[in-house]
Amino acid sequence: MVEVLKEMIADAIENGMLSDICIGVVTAESPLKVKLENGLELEERFLLVAERLTKREERGQVKTWSEQEGDIWSQYRMIRDVGLKKGQKVMVLQCKGGQQYMVIDRWKGGKV
C-alpha cells in the first residue's frame, strides 16, 4: 500500500497534477459505498481501500515464559474487525483521471 502511494505521489509531482483529497461518508458496508461532500456516491468497484481499514485475519506465534515450563511458543489467530462502518467519515484520495478513489483513513474532523 505504501509503495502504491509513493508511486502515485511521484507521478503526480512529475506531471504537475496533484490529486484531490475529499471527505466522504460510508453509506453502505457491503458492498461498500462512500458518498463524497460534492454528492457523488462511489460504489465499491471505484474504491481502493487501505488494508488497515478492512476486516482481516492475522495468524502468528507468541512466546511466553514461566519458571516452571520455561519458554513456550503458542499459536494465535486474531480477527481484526476494523472494517468501515455505515456513517463513518473517511478521507478519500481522488486518483489522477478521476476513475479510481483511494480510501486512505477514517476522518475525525478538522480542516482538510
Side-chain angles (χ1 to χ4, degrees), residues 15-98:
N15 294 318
M17 294 181 65
L18 297 175
S19 299
D20 290 332
I21 293 181
C22 311
I23 302 301
V25 175
V26 176
T27 57
E29 295 175 30
S30 183
L32 182 62
K33 289 185 182 179
V34 174
K35 187 172 188 174
L36 301 181
E37 294 173 317
N38 66 6
L40 178 64
E41 187 164 42
L42 303 169
E43 296 179 4
E44 190 165 6
R45 64 184 175 175
F46 298 110
L47 298 169
L48 304 169
V49 181
E51 183 182 21
R52 70 176 175 273
L53 300 175
T54 62
K55 181 177 180 177
R56 61 192 183 278
E57 181 178 319
E58 180 181 303
R59 293 176 183 258
Q61 291 184 337
V62 63
K63 183 166 112 175
T64 58
W65 184 86
S66 71
E67 290 207 21
Q68 293 83 15
E69 299 178 27
D71 291 341
I72 299 172
W73 284 94
S74 302
Q75 302 284 329
Y76 74 86
R77 176 178 170 245
M78 179 173 33
I79 305 293
R80 293 184 177 263
D81 189 8
V82 292
L84 296 170
K85 306 290 184 221
K86 186 175 180 177
Q88 287 183 328
K89 288 186 176 181
V90 291
M91 290 183 285
V92 180
L93 181 67
Q94 181 181 4
C95 301
K96 189 170 102 178

